[in-house]
């Protein structure tokens, strides 16, 4: 099969932990042709969406792990599958990419995750579709509403709707002398919506990343445990990843969400679960493949490429 990956520049990959790298290695081991393009390489030209792509050859060397052929222009429908793996931020350039990829899909390209589904699933707000699994949550830009939520729940987490990697997440309690300035900063003086969630003390045991592939859960999650003095488990914020088998509650959440999300064209999803509560539904570029595989021996990338091959043949 001929597979194209929309990615950040390959030289920026940290290959010891990068999930897209794991996908490339697994696909290469099966003999698939691999092509890469950046977000800016998506072009609408003469009515067709093309990718200014380069075929990539993988090498078994940590510092020079790839080589690239010269650029070539190919309509996205010429690939057996196009995998959108551009990392956040989810900004207007990202949205524009989903528009172009959606046009390509109408022209016959098989794009994963489905670009419309990526665009329509706010990674924070998507949890509103599954209230039976969520902790008390508020989305507002109104200072009075946010302060009332803090007063009601005593200990809360405030975060921007478009953040990633744990950036700009604040834990605030009712007695915090900085609560007003935190609200003003995050809402930009009432100009931007933010999310408030009741603090879940089980974060001390880890913010669990549960991967759904083809609607089914990987049997192990990665519990991202905050470093001492932190309330964020994100690996980018210094958390430590520990692979664990899914709990019965994890399986309940994954079993309820998996088929629904797959039916919407979301081949790969990363659920964030703290304790018994769903906190985010990640659809842009879910990670943690390598950490789970290294600690458990379960081939996450193999499960993903299996699902990709099956979906591309439909």
């Amino acid at each position: 099969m001929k597979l194209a990956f929309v990615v950040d520049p390959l030289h920026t990959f940290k290959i010891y932990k990068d999930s897209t790298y794991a996908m490339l290695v697994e696909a290469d081991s099966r003999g698939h042709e691999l092509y890469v393009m950046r977000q800016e390489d998506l072009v609408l030209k003469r009515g067709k969406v093309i990718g200014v792509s380069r075929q990539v050859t993988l090498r078994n060397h940590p510092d020079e792990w790839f080589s690239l052929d010269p650029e070539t222009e190919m309509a996205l429908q010429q690939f057996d599958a196009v995998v959108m793996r551009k990392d956040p931020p989810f900004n207007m350039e990202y949205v524009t990419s989903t528009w172009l990829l959606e046009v390509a899909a109408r022209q016959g390209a098989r794009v994963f995750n489905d670009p419309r589904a990526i665009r329509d699933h706010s990674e924070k707000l998507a949890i509103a579709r599954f209230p039976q699994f969520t902790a008390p949550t508020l989305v507002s830009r109104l200072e009075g509403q946010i302060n009332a939520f803090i007063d009601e729940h005593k200990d809360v987490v405030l975060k921007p709707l478009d953040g990633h990697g744990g950036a700009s997440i604040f834990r605030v309690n009712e007695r915090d002398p900085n609560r007003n300035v935190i609200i003003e900063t995050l809402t930009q003086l009432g100009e931007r919506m933010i999310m408030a969630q009741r603090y879940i003390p089980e974060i001390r045991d880890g913010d669990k990343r549960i991967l759904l592939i083809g609607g089914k859960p990987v049997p192990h999650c990665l519990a991202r445990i905050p470093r001492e003095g932190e309330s964020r488990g994100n690996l980018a914020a210094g958390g430590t990843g520990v692979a664990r088998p899914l709990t019965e509650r994890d399986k309940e959440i994954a079993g309820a969400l998996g088929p629904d999300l797959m039916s919407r064209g979301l081949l790969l999803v990363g659920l964030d679960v703290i304790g018994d509560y769903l906190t985010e539904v990640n659809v842009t570029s879910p990670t943690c493949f390598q950490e789970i595989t290294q600690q458990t021996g379960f081939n996450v990338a193999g499960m993903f490429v299996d699902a990709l091959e099956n979906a591309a043949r439909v």
Side-chain angles (χ1 to χ4, degrees), residues 4 9-10 19-20 22 34 38 61 64 77 92 126 154 159 182 185 189 201 220-221 250 271 284:
L10 294 185
S19 294
T20 305
L34 305 179
R38 299 162 302 171
H61 191 287
E64 298 179 3
Q77 67 200 70
M92 274 309 300
K154 313 302 182 186
K159 54 187 173 181
I182 291 171
T185 300
L189 297 175
H220 297 83
C221 67
D250 296 339
L271 306 180
T284 49

Side-chain angles (χ1 to χ4, degrees), residues 82-119:
V82 178
V83 184
M84 180 53 161
R85 288 292 297 176
K86 172 70 179 70
D87 285 341
F90 190 85
N91 51 22
M92 274 309 300
E93 284 301 304
Y94 207 117
V95 171
T96 301
S97 295
T98 67
W99 286 329
L100 289 171
L101 289 170
E102 190 174 3
V103 173
R106 290 198 296 269
Q107 295 172 347
R110 294 180 175 88
V111 184
F112 306 97
N113 283 328
D114 179 272
R116 182 174 181 177
I118 292 176
R119 191 173 62 248

